[in-house]
Amino acid sequence: MVRWLKFFRWKKKKEYERMTAEEKILYKLRRAQRKEERLVQALKKIEPKESSEATHDPEILTPEEHFFFLKMGLKCKNYVPVGRRGIYQGVILNMHLHWKKHQTLKVVVKTFTPEEVKEIAAELARFTGGIVLDIHEENTIIMYRGKNYSQPPTEIMSPRVTLSRKKALDKSKCRDGLRAVRRCIPRLQQDLELLQAWAGGKVGNGTEPTEETPETDIDGAESRGISGKQLENSEKLKEIIDRQDEGSEDGPDTDLGIASGSEDLSDIFETDSDTDTEETSKRPLYMEEFEKFSVEADGEPEDFEEHLRQICLGSKKGPTSGKDVDTPTGEDVDAPSFDEVDRMFLRAASLLKRKKR
């Protein structure tokens, strides 16, 4: 028996591998539809057979009473959780046990949508006879037990029209599976329509359709990393080449075509020439002053002391030019007197010469 089952599974697997892309999608779609029908029938079997004929006639509260009980319910800490099982006998019993000592109650509902929370609130009010004050934050139902509340007998506290704990869990599993299948079916139908449209377009263009789907082609393009800018640049290059070919055939208009082509190429392939010119224009000003100093001659620097004397003479002759200044006798005019800054420069130059030696 085990060998037969293994052979049957292996045979099914090989048949699925030999299918085309369209056949695979159709196979998955048929399986999903069969599963949906099976889950719907299972839900019908799990639902209680007895119809709930209980009618709910809630008491009328004044706005002041409604505000007072709602504020009390928001402040209270007693609550009843409702999980994936939904409403079953244990939930209603816990609510009545809480109402034995408290007037208000919080019912915290999880794993349900806001619309389903509203349906749960209506069912709880019908089964327990309480009043729904408000739905806080879309997952917390605040309920009031009523003005003339008295604890009902056990048959009402755990009604038979509700499910047991085990059946409620089975119902939640079927409901979750049905929800997942109903999300998957439209997706498969959309994939099938896209595949058929792609195959029809290939046949219309005269090319034979392959087994690969258009999704694989899109993934391949993404893996190659082709960006939109590169595609635009390639189109521009093609246009430039076509223009150059046309210009070479025309003859006199070749220069215009080459000029326009060079302009387009400069737009496509940007260089760093602009940045280089900006760097040269932003050259610091102190570099021009350093260039005025004496340069190296044959690997040996010129006499720094002599150069400094010439600078001092030039600075002293400038302000005295055009004026008759009385010079003291016995002193050499050409021999300048060094101040402290000049002497510091001379010492630094002598120290540098010693280090080089």
Side-chain angles (χ1 to χ4, degrees):
M1 188 68 180
V2 176
R3 288 181 181 178
W4 182 79
L5 288 173
K6 286 183 178 179
F7 173 75
F8 183 72
R9 289 172 185 167
W10 177 81
K11 188 177 178 182
K12 283 285 184 182
K13 184 178 178 181
K14 291 298 179 182
E15 287 178 0
Y16 181 78
E17 288 176 356
R18 286 193 290 268
M19 291 180 184
T20 59
E22 187 176 357
E23 290 175 351
K24 287 179 181 178
I25 295 174
L26 287 171
Y27 175 72
K28 291 179 182 178
L29 186 61
R30 292 192 198 100
R31 283 189 63 185
Q33 289 173 351
R34 288 197 300 268
K35 189 175 181 180
E36 184 184 11
E37 294 175 358
R38 189 167 62 251
L39 290 171
V40 169
Q41 292 177 0
L43 277 174
K44 287 180 180 178
K45 291 180 181 178
I46 293 171
E47 288 293 339
K49 297 179 180 179
E50 297 180 4
S51 60
S52 59
E53 298 177 355
T55 57
H56 179 54
D57 188 13
E59 298 176 0
I60 298 172
L61 298 176
T62 61
E64 292 81 6
E65 291 174 344
H66 186 276
F67 175 78
F68 173 74
F69 289 123
L70 179 59
K71 193 172 181 180
M72 186 189 299
L74 290 171
K75 287 183 178 180
C76 71
K77 295 181 180 180
N78 54 317
Y79 70 97
V80 174
V82 176
R84 60 177 297 181
R85 290 180 174 86
I87 299 172
Y88 63 99
Q89 295 175 357
V91 174
I92 297 169
L93 180 62
N94 286 337
M95 290 178 68
H96 283 289
L97 293 175
H98 275 284
W99 279 339
K100 186 177 180 180
K101 295 182 179 181
H102 303 279
Q103 290 182 339
T104 56
L105 173 70
K106 287 181 182 178
V107 182
V108 181
V109 184
K110 297 180 180 179
T111 67
F112 287 96
T113 60
E115 291 77 13
E116 291 174 345
V117 171
K118 292 178 182 177
E119 294 177 359
I120 289 171
E123 289 183 5
L124 286 174
R126 182 164 52 87
F127 287 139
T128 60
I131 300 170
V132 179
L133 297 174
D134 191 16
I135 298 175
H136 184 62
E137 294 181 356
E138 295 184 354
N139 62 354
T140 304
I141 305 168
I142 300 170
M143 298 191 69
Y144 171 57
R145 66 182 184 180
K147 294 179 181 178
N148 302 319
Y149 175 77
S150 60
Q151 193 169 5
T154 309
E155 292 80 9
I156 298 176
M157 289 175 65
S158 56
R160 294 180 181 177
V161 294
T162 56
L163 297 173
S164 62
R165 185 181 176 86
K166 185 179 180 301
K167 287 187 177 179
L169 182 61
D170 296 339
K171 181 182 177 181
S172 68
K173 289 179 181 178
C174 293
R175 185 177 60 245
D176 293 342
L178 185 63
R179 192 180 300 167
V181 168
R182 285 177 176 171
R183 279 200 306 266
C184 183
I185 288 173
R187 197 183 308 157
L188 290 172
Q189 290 175 350
Q190 186 178 4
D191 292 343
L192 183 63
E193 290 175 1
L194 286 172
L195 184 63
Q196 290 175 353
W198 178 73
K202 285 281 186 180
V203 172
N205 293 332
T207 58
E208 294 181 357
T210 58
E211 294 184 1
E212 295 180 356
T213 59
E215 295 177 359
T216 57
D217 298 338
I218 293 167
D219 295 336
E222 289 178 356
S223 63
R224 286 192 295 269
I226 298 174
S227 60
K229 292 183 180 179
Q230 292 177 353
L231 293 173
E232 291 177 1
N233 292 341
S234 62
E235 291 177 359
K236 286 184 180 180
L237 279 171
K238 289 179 182 178
E239 292 178 1
I240 292 163
I241 293 167
D242 295 338
R243 289 176 190 170
Q244 289 179 358
D245 295 339
E246 292 176 0
S248 61
E249 292 176 0
D250 296 340
D253 298 334
T254 55
D255 297 336
L256 296 174
I258 292 167
S260 62
S262 63
E263 290 176 0
D264 294 335
L265 284 170
S266 64
D267 294 338
I268 297 168
F269 305 103
E270 296 180 356
T271 60
D272 298 334
S273 60
D274 297 336
T275 58
D276 295 339
T277 54
E278 288 178 1
E279 289 177 358
T280 54
S281 63
K282 292 180 181 179
R283 189 180 182 185
L285 296 175
Y286 61 84
M287 293 298 292
E288 297 178 359
E289 297 294 333
F290 285 151
E291 288 177 355
K292 293 179 182 179
F293 288 98
S294 59
V295 297
E296 295 182 356
D298 299 332
E300 291 291 333
E302 294 181 356
D303 190 4
F304 187 74
E305 186 176 355
E306 188 66 24
H307 180 65
L308 192 59
R309 283 200 183 97
Q310 291 176 6
I311 292 171
C312 292
L313 284 172
S315 63
K316 289 182 179 181
K317 286 179 181 179
T320 57
S321 62
K323 295 181 181 180
D324 295 332
V325 181
D326 296 333
T327 58
T329 59
E331 294 181 1
D332 191 4
V333 179
D334 295 333
S337 60
F338 295 109
D339 55 0
E340 293 180 1
V341 178
D342 298 337
R343 288 171 187 168
M344 288 172 65
F345 274 97
L346 288 173
R347 287 175 188 171
S350 62
L351 287 171
L352 286 171
K353 284 182 180 181
R354 288 175 188 174
K355 287 183 180 180
K356 287 181 180 179
R357 288 174 186 175

